[in-house]
Amino acid sequence: MKRINITTLILLIYIAVMAVISWPGNKPEPDYIQYFSIMGLSLVVIIALRFVQIKRMKIRDKYRKGDDSSS
């Protein structure tokens, strides 16, 4: 399994645990808007991080191929 997949999987497990722990349903006046906003923003950040990691990996592979061909 690639390192990118492991990082993404760990972050998704983390957000799932945090979602369960911070569920506002047991409070007298639950604030679902704030809860889902934070969870949604966290998912957007995880997805953005995954795309950045993939792009960095492609750039790194491109430079490694260039270094190998010049030697």
Side-chain angles (χ1 to χ4, degrees), residues 24-52:
N26 298 333
K27 296 179 183 174
E29 293 183 22
D31 189 7
Y32 292 110
I33 295 173
Q34 181 182 5
Y35 173 78
F36 286 115
S37 298
I38 292 171
M39 291 301 139
L41 183 64
S42 298
L43 283 174
V44 168
V45 169
I46 290 171
I47 292 168
L49 176 64
R50 180 171 174 82
F51 284 123
V52 168

Side-chain angles (χ1 to χ4, degrees), residues 1-63:
M1 187 177 251
K2 290 186 179 183
R3 189 177 217 169
I4 295 170
N5 294 337
I6 293 171
T7 305
T8 305
L9 183 64
I10 290 171
L11 288 172
L12 288 174
I13 291 171
Y14 172 76
I15 195 173
V17 169
M18 293 307 295
V20 170
I21 290 173
S22 64
W23 177 250
N26 298 333
K27 296 179 183 174
E29 293 183 22
D31 189 7
Y32 292 110
I33 295 173
Q34 181 182 5
Y35 173 78
F36 286 115
S37 298
I38 292 171
M39 291 301 139
L41 183 64
S42 298
L43 283 174
V44 168
V45 169
I46 290 171
I47 292 168
L49 176 64
R50 180 171 174 82
F51 284 123
V52 168
Q53 286 178 324
I54 290 171
K55 187 170 184 163
R56 285 186 63 206
M57 184 182 68
K58 287 180 182 179
I59 291 171
R60 190 179 307 132
D61 289 344
K62 181 180 171 183
Y63 284 127

